[in-house]
Each structure stands twice: as structure tokens, then as C-alpha cells.
Amino acid sequence: MKINISNVKHILNEIGVVPSKDYGQNFLIDENIASKIVSLLDIKDDENCLEIGPGLGSLTHFLIENTNKLDVIDIDYNMTTLLNIFYKDKNINIICGDIRKFDISKYDKIISNLPYNITSELVLYLIKNGKNVKRMVLMCQKETLKHFIDTNGKEYGPLSVYLHLCGEVKKIFDISNSCFYPIPKCKSSIFIIDLYNNINRDENFEVYKFCKIIFKNRRKTIFKNLKSYINDDTIISATLLELNIDRQTRPEQISPHQYLQLFRKIKICLEK
């Protein structure tokens, strides 16, 4: 069923549900936007697709038109019960559960209107555990997107380093808050993550943890922050010199690839 402004309130009233703030439920009610978002997934034959947090099925309706290998998972029993009614005659697997406890390794494509309260946690989980994922089409708060997209400046941090080491991250478009019910306080953004082939997820995750230490005091220089990781001035100075990184550089001025190089060089030194 297409979800729009004319039927969303009626559906919620019929099932006696009030949108949950705990689950970050703001339902997309613009059919054109929903169709456009699904088209970005670029589903191919035989690809396994997963939708996370389908809610009332704003995206689900269009996904079913594009694939017969679709799983959807929602933590809210009310939503999965409703979707089972809507799509009882369709080839779709509807699961009630917490995505953070769900095996996502078999999926080729993932799409989600990310719950606002666990956005960063969920993106990290998807990248770390989506071992066969080729593309993710995700929606988040417009301001939150900077933490995923930026590779310099005050919003840049460990999660962005991790994402850019694992794939190409790009913003596609913004969505007005008037396209949702209830109307959220902020705009949303759609972005795509195209995962690289043969990602070394274990190493990249170690770089992520390394960067969490480095960015802990982002006002300090890279030299001083590295001392929190390896208390050896000689090794730090030699490593920075070899990588052509000025010791006065701030953490937010170093690229994801440079962080990978830094991690590898220092790891070698620690293992000697």
C-alpha cells in the first residue's frame, strides 16, 4: 500500500498506534520521494535486499515492485503485524526484531530510514557486519550526515574515517521535514554507501578504534594525541616525518587514507 498524507492518519487510527519517539518513528508520506529513494538501490536480478525499519511500508511498496528477494525487519511488533496484513499475498519476509542482533551477511543491498536515536551505531553495525553488501541507501538527519560525509573539519571523526576506508560515501539529496508524519524538527538527507570489493573490515575497524583515541582530544596536535596511543617520541616523530604529516597538524586535518597509513606504521613499531 502506498503511504501518503491522505491515509497515514487513518491507518494509525485503525490500528490504534501513536508513532513512537523511542523508535524514532516519522513516516515518509511523499510517494514520489519514496519511489526515488528505492530507485537509488539499483536492484539487480537475484540480489538479496533488506529494508530496516519499514514502519508503515512507505519504501516497502516500491521495493516489492523491484525485487522478489526482500526481507524487512522492524523492532515494533505493531508495524510488522500491519505489514503482514498489507503484503500477505506478496513474496516478502517480514521479521520483528532488533537489527543489531540480526545476521545481515547474506544481503547484497540494504535500505533504511535510519532511526534517529541510533543512527551512528547502526551505520557502524551495517558496515562492520554486511560482509556481502554492495550498496546501502540510507536516510538520516541532515546535520548527522556531516559525521559520515566530511573528511575534514569539526564534524569529521572516527566514523567518517571508517566509512571512507570501506567505501564511497556520497550525499544524494535533502528531504523537507514536511514529507513526514509526524513532522520532525529537522530535515533529512539521503546518502549512498558503495562498498569497495575485498574490504579488510577487521583492519579498518582497528583503524576506527585507533581514531577514537586520536580524536578524543581533537584540539591537540596529532603528535600529542599519538602519545596517548604509543608513548615514544622517537617513533612518533619518525612516523610522521615518513608520512609527510606535520607534527602540529590537528586530527581533523588528516585524511582517512593517512590514518590507515599511520595505524599500519605504528602497529609495525609496536610489534617489534
Side-chain angles (χ1 to χ4, degrees):
M1 175 183 288
K2 291 182 180 179
I3 303 300
N4 52 49
I5 188 61
S6 65
N7 64 14
V8 64
K9 293 180 182 179
H10 174 74
I11 292 169
L12 291 172
N13 286 335
E14 281 290 303
I15 61 176
V17 168
V18 176
S20 169
K21 290 185 178 180
D22 289 341
Y23 294 154
Q25 289 176 336
N26 298 93
F27 304 113
L28 182 63
I29 54 174
D30 188 308
E31 298 173 28
N32 293 326
I33 294 291
S35 176
K36 185 176 180 181
I37 293 170
V38 170
S39 70
L40 293 170
L41 207 55
D42 191 26
I43 302 169
K44 309 297 184 185
D45 292 342
D46 296 324
E47 287 185 332
N48 291 309
C49 299
L50 174 67
E51 182 186 6
I52 302 165
L56 299 176
S58 304
L59 302 179
T60 314
H61 171 86
F62 297 99
L63 285 164
I64 289 175
E65 294 180 346
N66 286 270
T67 180
N68 60 3
K69 291 190 172 185
L70 176 64
D71 290 355
V72 301
I73 182 168
D74 200 300
I75 198 170
D76 189 343
Y77 175 78
N78 292 311
M79 298 298 109
T80 55
T81 300
L82 182 65
L83 292 178
N84 272 308
I85 296 171
F86 283 170
Y87 300 114
K88 61 182 179 181
D89 298 322
K90 300 293 185 179
N91 189 14
I92 177 176
N93 182 29
I94 300 168
I95 305 156
C96 183
D98 187 337
I99 185 61
R100 295 167 293 182
K101 301 175 182 178
F102 187 68
D103 182 7
I104 62 171
S105 60
K106 74 173 184 178
Y107 298 103
D108 302 291
K109 301 284 178 69
I110 293 178
I111 190 168
S112 179
N113 177 1
L114 297 168
Y116 290 166
N117 52 345
I118 58 167
T119 297
S120 294
E121 177 188 353
L122 191 49
V123 170
L124 183 64
Y125 180 83
L126 297 180
I127 299 293
K128 189 171 184 289
N129 296 282
K131 300 188 184 303
N132 290 301
V133 175
K134 302 170 187 173
R135 168 171 287 193
M136 299 183 188
V137 176
L138 306 172
M139 184 192 311
C140 69
Q141 289 182 339
K142 183 178 179 180
E143 290 303 311
T144 301
L145 183 58
K146 295 177 181 179
H147 297 292
F148 306 142
I149 296 291
D150 289 1
T151 54
N152 56 69
K154 65 179 182 179
E155 305 298 338
Y156 175 43
L159 186 54
S160 180
V161 171
Y162 183 56
L163 263 63
H164 283 86
L165 290 178
C166 291
E168 181 182 356
V169 189
K170 53 186 175 183
K171 176 181 176 179
I172 307 301
F173 59 85
D174 295 326
I175 306 175
S176 169
N177 49 3
S178 64
C179 293
F180 297 87
Y181 178 83
I183 298 175
K185 295 180 180 179
C186 58
K187 291 183 178 180
S188 297
S189 295
I190 295 293
F191 67 107
I192 288 176
I193 305 174
D194 284 320
L195 283 301
Y196 298 135
N197 294 327
N198 303 316
I199 304 169
N200 189 335
R201 281 181 168 78
D202 291 338
E203 181 183 43
N204 288 348
F205 191 68
E206 289 302 313
V207 176
Y208 165 74
K209 292 192 291 184
F210 168 70
C211 286
K212 287 192 76 173
I213 296 171
I214 302 304
F215 277 91
K216 192 171 182 180
N217 294 295
R218 51 193 307 144
R219 293 179 64 87
K220 291 184 178 180
T221 65
I222 186 61
F223 182 86
K224 289 183 178 178
N225 276 297
L226 282 169
K227 288 187 61 122
S228 300
Y229 188 80
I230 176 173
N231 191 22
D232 189 315
D233 290 12
T234 302
I235 290 176
I236 295 172
S237 296
T239 302
L240 292 175
L241 182 63
E242 183 179 351
L243 296 177
N244 197 30
I245 298 174
D246 190 296
R247 57 187 287 157
Q248 298 301 314
T249 303
R250 307 290 179 184
E252 63 191 34
Q253 297 172 307
I254 298 172
S255 73
H257 182 64
Q258 286 177 308
Y259 274 118
L260 176 60
Q261 292 177 307
L262 262 176
F263 173 77
R264 286 175 173 172
K265 295 287 185 183
I266 291 176
K267 183 180 180 182
I268 291 171
C269 293
L270 289 172
E271 290 175 347
K272 286 182 180 179

